[in-house]
Amino acid sequence: MSNVTPDAAHKATSLAAIAAGKHILCEKPLATSAADAEAMAAAAREAGVINMVNLSYRNAPAIHQARELIASGALGRIRHVDASYRQSWLVSHAWGRWDQDSQWLWRLSERHGSKGVLGDVGIHILDFASFPVGDITAVNCRLKCYDKAPDSRIGDYVLDANDTALMRVEFACGALGSLHATRWATGHHNSLSLSVHGDRGALRVDLDAAKDRLHVCLGEDVHPACWREVVAPETPSLYRRFIDGIAKGHNDQPDFARGAALQRVLDACFVSDAEDRSLALAG
């Protein structure tokens, strides 16, 4: 089963499917709170069904190659990470009129189940950075909702969900990172990028440029700051991994447990913004 319902409906619909013994691929974010996501992960585990979260940018071979390079030690000790997810549909008509279409308006309204840009695409950039670099152990987040209509309302939609998110994070390896997501990135339709800097080398991924290529600065190239292109080998898509998992009885990644772990970071981001402080995440 593929669960493509709005965020707030993920828990109820997924639990019903799991209770019926259905294998499930759920859209991201897995839920709207860590408690709900953890309940979904526990139910899937106990039922023994194949469960995955559609973190679709895992489909890019470049991010898998980045993970392998970091794990191999090619970059040395990771020190600094930059990652961004830039969209511009609040200032561009390329995808339609956000102010006239319910498929966009609900994403701007907490009352309609939206967790804003942080929940919608911020979860992608959290996974995009932490999948290759490692778990996030601390976060400091600032969220912003800008005025978009008179009285911040269009019809039944109160436009109160965040549309820009800035996150300062620390990874388990000790590296610091700057992650951001926004719907105000004029000039970018749907752009993801990642830069990882270690004490022996660096890499950068730009999905606008290519999904199967990345650039590296390694070895003696570090001194003249010379970057070289690397072609990443093909990797199975999430959909292929899901189908193969059902056929083989093996649960591939990212599973519901991963979705719950990311949800814990999202929850911490909301608390961090509300209380204007940094939060450590439990191991």
Side-chain angles (χ1 to χ4, degrees):
M1 172 185 167
S2 179
N3 189 347
V4 296
T5 59
D7 302 353
H10 286 178
K11 182 186 179 184
T13 50
S14 293
L15 289 179
I18 291 167
K22 302 294 185 183
H23 304 297
I24 184 165
L25 172 65
C26 185
E27 273 302 317
K28 54 75 210 165
L30 184 58
T32 55
S33 73
D36 285 353
E38 287 162 0
M40 293 164 68
R45 183 174 59 253
E46 291 167 8
V49 298
I50 301 301
N51 57 95
M52 294 182 69
V53 184
N54 192 22
L55 295 164
S56 54
Y57 296 103
R58 293 276 192 102
N59 293 329
I63 201 67
H64 292 272
Q65 185 70 15
R67 178 181 168 93
E68 290 186 13
L69 283 167
I70 292 168
S72 74
L75 276 65
R77 294 171 293 182
I78 306 305
R79 295 305 193 212
H80 185 79
V81 179
D82 292 302
S84 64
Y85 193 147
R86 296 179 173 94
Q87 291 184 331
S88 63
W89 56 263
L90 284 173
V91 291
S92 167
H93 298 162
W95 292 353
R97 294 296 300 264
W98 69 266
D99 55 346
Q100 299 174 11
D101 194 330
S102 61
Q103 73 167 316
W104 305 116
L105 283 168
W106 82 265
R107 298 175 186 273
L108 305 174
S109 174
E110 292 185 3
R111 185 178 302 172
H112 285 78
S114 176
K115 302 294 280 188
V117 73
L118 182 63
D120 186 18
V121 304
I123 193 165
H124 276 308
I125 206 61
L126 285 169
D127 185 65
F128 202 67
S130 61
F131 173 60
V133 176
D135 290 342
I136 291 170
T137 57
V139 65
N140 186 292
C141 183
R142 180 77 172 95
L143 303 173
K144 185 86 171 185
C145 177
Y146 290 97
D147 292 337
K148 294 174 283 295
D151 298 321
S152 294
R153 188 184 191 111
I154 295 178
D156 293 333
Y157 297 90
V158 176
L159 310 181
D160 56 354
N162 64 85
D163 41 45
T164 284
L166 298 176
M167 294 163 274
R168 187 179 74 239
V169 304
E170 184 168 352
F171 296 88
C173 64
L176 295 182
S178 174
L179 282 57
H180 64 271
T182 184
R183 292 175 172 144
W184 294 98
T186 309
H188 291 268
H189 284 161
N190 193 62
S191 302
L192 282 86
S193 63
L194 170 70
S195 296
V196 182
H197 305 270
D199 61 3
R200 292 177 51 201
L203 64 81
R204 60 190 182 208
V205 176
D206 180 357
L207 295 193
D208 269 359
K211 292 180 174 58
D212 64 348
R213 297 166 193 270
L214 63 161
H215 287 81
V216 299
C217 179
L218 302 172
E220 292 304 309
D221 286 342
V222 167
H223 306 296
C226 179
W227 291 79
R228 302 182 188 278
E229 185 177 82
V230 172
V231 178
E234 186 176 353
T235 56
S237 71
L238 281 174
Y239 317 108
R240 182 74 264 163
R241 293 174 189 271
F242 180 59
I243 297 301
D244 287 348
I246 294 171
K248 298 175 182 177
H250 170 70
N251 212 124
D252 209 333
Q253 290 291 322
D255 62 5
F256 276 22
R258 171 63 174 173
L262 290 170
Q263 192 69 51
R264 288 192 289 273
V265 181
L266 288 179
D267 282 13
C269 284
F270 283 107
V271 173
S272 171
D273 176 67
E275 298 181 0
D276 192 20
R277 66 185 180 94
S278 298
L279 273 83
L281 287 105

